[in-house]
């Protein structure tokens, strides 16, 4: 079992920045890829960014050049640095990891971009 706790969401003006954190606990040695998803009201959940066990990263086209994902192996934490935020980035952001045969989700953290 892996437990995930996200933090760092909030209200920010367009053009602003936020850093989300997701701390993992439990069977952390089994964690492979770590991901951030987001879901806006009335829309499907979408993959935002991935970081592999080896540190390779990938991003959705909509956030390329604005978001970065990083991983602190000592703290078992994944971060999502979000810059140049836009109103369309407003969503609930979820951390996701795959560990062995299973996928685990956090409870999500709300990001609202509005003036």
């Amino acid at each position: 079992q892996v437990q995930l706790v996200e933090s760092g969401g909030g209200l920010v003006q367009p053009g602003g920045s936020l850093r989300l954190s997701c701390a993992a606990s439990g069977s952390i040695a089994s964690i492979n890829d770590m991901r951030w998803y987001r879901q806006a009201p009335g829309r499907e959940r979408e993959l935002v960014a991935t970081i592999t066990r080896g540190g390779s990263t990938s991003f959705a086209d909509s956030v390329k050049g604005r978001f970065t994902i990083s991983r602190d192996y000592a703290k078992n934490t994944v971060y999502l640095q979000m810059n140049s935020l836009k109103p369309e980035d407003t969503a609930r952001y979820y951390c996701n990891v795959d560990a062995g045969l299973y996928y685990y989700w956090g409870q999500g953290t709300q990001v609202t971009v509005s003036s």
Side-chain angles (χ1 to χ4, degrees), residues 51-106:
I51 184 164
T52 68
R53 190 182 182 99
S56 298
T57 61
S58 60
F59 299 91
D61 287 344
S62 59
V63 307
K64 279 181 182 176
R66 300 188 297 122
F67 290 12
T68 58
I69 187 171
S70 60
R71 187 167 174 171
D72 185 326
Y73 294 89
K75 295 182 179 180
N76 305 308
T77 299
V78 62
Y79 303 97
L80 184 68
Q81 179 66 43
M82 306 185 293
N83 299 327
S84 302
L85 282 161
K86 305 175 181 180
E88 52 263 43
D89 295 316
T90 295
R92 191 163 186 86
Y93 284 70
Y94 296 89
C95 179
N96 167 272
V97 304
D98 68 87
L101 299 177
Y102 303 101
Y103 290 83
Y104 297 91
W105 293 90

Side-chain angles (χ1 to χ4, degrees), residues 2-58:
V2 174
Q3 294 77 44
L4 303 170
V5 178
E6 300 104 328
S7 60
L11 173 64
V12 63
Q13 292 187 344
S17 298
L18 281 175
R19 189 178 80 154
L20 305 183
S21 301
C22 172
S25 60
S27 302
I28 55 175
S30 62
I31 293 175
N32 294 311
D33 296 354
M34 303 183 82
R35 305 175 185 86
W36 285 98
Y37 283 78
R38 67 185 180 186
Q39 187 167 22
R43 301 189 66 176
E44 293 187 355
R45 192 171 294 190
E46 65 170 336
L47 177 61
V48 175
T50 301
I51 184 164
T52 68
R53 190 182 182 99
S56 298
T57 61
S58 60

